[in-house]
């Protein structure tokens, strides 16, 4: 049965012709009232193709910005504008730009977890679900710069065999997963399939049988008949995993001793109360300069082109 607050949100949604998109790291109650739940690529695509007048993005600010850049005519709401991301914080525009300029004739691939301004100077954007495809599309004779996530960058350099310059940003949540503690846990559960998000440290990824985006990890749990999984990503994803596989044992990968920090503090700023208020007041709204939207649109659209197997020239 729906609560009073949930009913109010659904009513507001109808009244205002709004669409709610939620990331897998949101609390289960938010995922349940969303029209679509997904990874960052899926949310950007859904936001772009939606017919709604208002898109409420239950996720972090860079995700709302991506929807706004792809659909400037829509009103994009994010329930709490403090929902940042450590990767955005560790790639300040001026320094990132100087880094790009110090590597002339390179192709700058930026992970979608970056600011709108960083997107304006990037040649192409990627997410963890299409990053390998994006790198493969870049001619071999071009130098690749990758940022801001160093762990995803290192992983891509390894899988693609490309020599890449990598910006040293990190996700403050995924770097908490602890390789030695994971090793010990695997000894206790040798029958478990270890799955990990590529933002984890290389030492953690070395123990994983499957590495991928949130949707890739969810699909593994859905499709793999194994009965036990050790999961190295943020704990919001467990909501869909448990729904899909009530028969399987899902074990959170360990962080360092005494640290219970496998939750993204930014994603978890969103609540049903804030969502209801945002729909009622039609704020906080994502606002970007038209020149930023225009310049950032190019790198995001190129990513969508590659995802849809359309040709992109570098
Ligand atoms: P996904 O694109 O895999 O959903 O990841 C987004 C993210 O912020 C991971 O920390
Ligand atoms: Fe950013 Fe990490 Fe949170 Fe994802 S989990 S939004 S990368 S801080």
């Amino acid at each position: 049965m729906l609560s009073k607050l949930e009913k109010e949100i659904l009513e507001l949604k109808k009244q205002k012709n709004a669409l709610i998109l939620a990331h897998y790291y949101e609390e289960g109650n938010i995922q349940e009232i969303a029209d679509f739940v997904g990874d960052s690529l899926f949310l950007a695509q859904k936001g772009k193709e939606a017919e709604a007048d208002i898109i409420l993005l239950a996720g972090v600010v860079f995700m709302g910005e991506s929807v706004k850049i792809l659909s400037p005519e829509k009103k994009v709401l994010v329930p709490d504008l403090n929902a940042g991301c450590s990767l955005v914080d560790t790639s300040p525009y001026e320094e990132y730009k100087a880094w790009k300029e110090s590597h002339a004739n390179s192709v700058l691939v930026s992970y979608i977890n970056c600011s709108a301004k960083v997107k304006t100077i990037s040649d192409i954007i990627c997410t963890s679900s299409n990053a390998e495809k994006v790198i493969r599309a870049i001619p071999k004779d071009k130098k690749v710069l990758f940022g801001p996530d160093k762990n995803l960058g290192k992983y891509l350099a390894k899988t693609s065999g490309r020599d890449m310059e990598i910006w040293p940003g990190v996700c403050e949540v995924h770097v908490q997963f602890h390789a030695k503690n994971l090793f010990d846990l695997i000894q206790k559960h040798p029958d478990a399939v270890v799955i990990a998000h590529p933002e984890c440290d290389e030492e953690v990824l070395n123990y994983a049988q499957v590495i991928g985006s949130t949707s890739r990890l969810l699909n593994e749990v859905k499709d793999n008949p194994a009965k036990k999984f050790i999961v190295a990503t943020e704990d919001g994803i467990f909501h869909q995993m448990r729904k899909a596989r009530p028969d399987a044992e899902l074990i959170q990968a360990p962080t360092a001793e005494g640290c219970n920090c496998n939750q993204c503090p930014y994603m978890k700023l969103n609540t049903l109360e804030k969502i209801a208020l945002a729909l009622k007041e039609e704020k906080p709204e994502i606002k970007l300069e038209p020149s930023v939207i225009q310049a950032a649109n190019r790198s995001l659209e190129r990513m969508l082109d590659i995802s849809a197997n359309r040709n992109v020239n570098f």
Side-chain angles (χ1 to χ4, degrees):
M1 240 225 346
L2 292 177
S3 69
K4 194 166 160 261
L5 190 56
E6 287 162 342
K7 279 191 201 147
E8 187 189 340
I9 291 172
L10 298 184
E11 190 47 43
L12 280 162
K13 206 164 66 86
K14 215 188 295 167
Q15 260 175 36
K16 307 221 168 190
N17 189 25
L19 186 85
I20 300 183
L21 302 175
H23 189 264
Y24 287 128
Y25 293 164
E26 294 300 322
E27 295 287 3
N29 59 2
I30 293 180
Q31 296 187 33
E32 288 300 307
I33 51 105
D35 295 288
F36 295 102
V37 185
D39 68 9
S40 37
L41 176 63
F42 179 81
L43 297 181
Q45 288 167 327
K46 281 288 163 200
K48 185 185 166 178
E49 69 195 31
E51 305 262 309
D53 299 315
I54 296 180
I55 307 286
L56 184 137
L57 197 302
V60 292
V61 168
F62 78 77
M63 295 178 175
E65 287 178 345
S66 298
V67 172
K68 184 72 190 173
I69 292 163
L70 289 166
S71 298
E73 71 290 354
K74 290 174 193 147
K75 186 175 263 190
V76 181
L77 308 175
V78 169
D80 190 324
L81 289 181
N82 293 314
C85 170
S86 64
L87 286 164
V88 175
D89 296 341
T90 49
S91 52
Y93 173 72
E94 291 298 340
E95 287 167 43
Y96 202 79
K97 183 165 170 274
W99 178 60
K100 180 190 173 173
E101 285 167 0
S102 67
H103 293 87
N105 300 322
S106 306
V107 176
L108 174 57
V109 182
S110 296
Y111 191 32
I112 197 165
N113 301 39
C114 64
S115 69
K117 279 197 84 179
V118 161
K119 288 182 177 77
T120 67
I121 52 163
S122 301
D123 294 299
I124 188 162
I125 302 300
C126 72
T127 74
S128 49
S129 57
N130 59 21
E132 290 181 76
K133 201 170 175 183
V134 167
I135 301 289
R136 268 200 308 274
I138 299 169
K140 292 264 181 335
D141 59 335
K142 298 267 184 182
K143 175 91 185 163
V144 175
L145 298 185
F146 185 88
D149 189 69
K150 81 169 180 198
N151 287 330
L152 176 59
K154 274 201 235 168
Y155 173 70
L156 291 169
K158 200 159 141 183
T159 53
S160 68
R162 298 284 290 255
D163 176 25
M164 288 163 43
E165 286 294 323
I166 299 169
W167 181 266
V170 291
C171 161
E172 66 181 55
V173 180
H174 284 86
V175 294
Q176 302 297 336
F177 295 111
H178 192 275
K180 168 71 173 68
N181 291 353
L182 176 59
F183 172 80
D184 293 343
L185 189 68
I186 294 168
Q187 306 317 300
K188 285 191 208 139
H189 302 279
D191 52 335
V193 178
V194 182
I195 62 178
H197 197 279
E199 290 170 11
C200 296
D201 284 334
E202 189 177 11
E203 297 73 24
V204 167
L205 295 180
N206 285 341
Y207 289 118
Q209 282 113 297
V210 177
I211 297 168
S213 68
T214 47
S215 50
R216 171 73 186 86
L217 302 184
L218 176 59
N219 286 338
E220 187 65 24
V221 169
K222 281 183 184 162
D223 300 340
N224 188 326
K227 292 283 186 197
K228 210 185 262 189
F229 297 86
I230 296 175
V231 182
T233 192
E234 211 267 3
D235 84 337
I237 191 83
F238 280 78
H239 180 69
Q240 300 294 337
M241 287 180 174
R242 285 193 195 102
K243 277 174 71 174
R245 288 293 306 278
D247 60 311
E249 189 181 348
L250 302 169
I251 308 170
Q252 175 82 64
T255 51
E257 233 68 66
C259 162
N260 197 9
C261 36
N262 50 15
Q263 297 205 342
C264 173
Y266 311 107
M267 293 278 184
K268 297 311 198 250
L269 284 175
N270 295 321
T271 61
L272 287 180
E273 286 76 9
K274 288 184 195 173
I275 291 174
L277 194 65
L279 286 174
K280 211 180 293 171
E281 298 187 342
E282 300 190 16
K283 62 174 202 225
E285 183 184 351
I286 296 286
K287 294 217 164 127
L288 294 169
E289 292 291 325
S291 59
V292 169
I293 292 184
Q294 201 187 6
N297 181 274
R298 180 176 172 268
S299 56
L300 267 171
E301 285 287 358
R302 292 176 110 200
M303 170 188 82
L304 297 182
D305 283 343
I306 295 223
S307 289
N309 298 319
R310 290 186 290 267
N311 197 36
V312 168
N313 291 322
F314 290 96

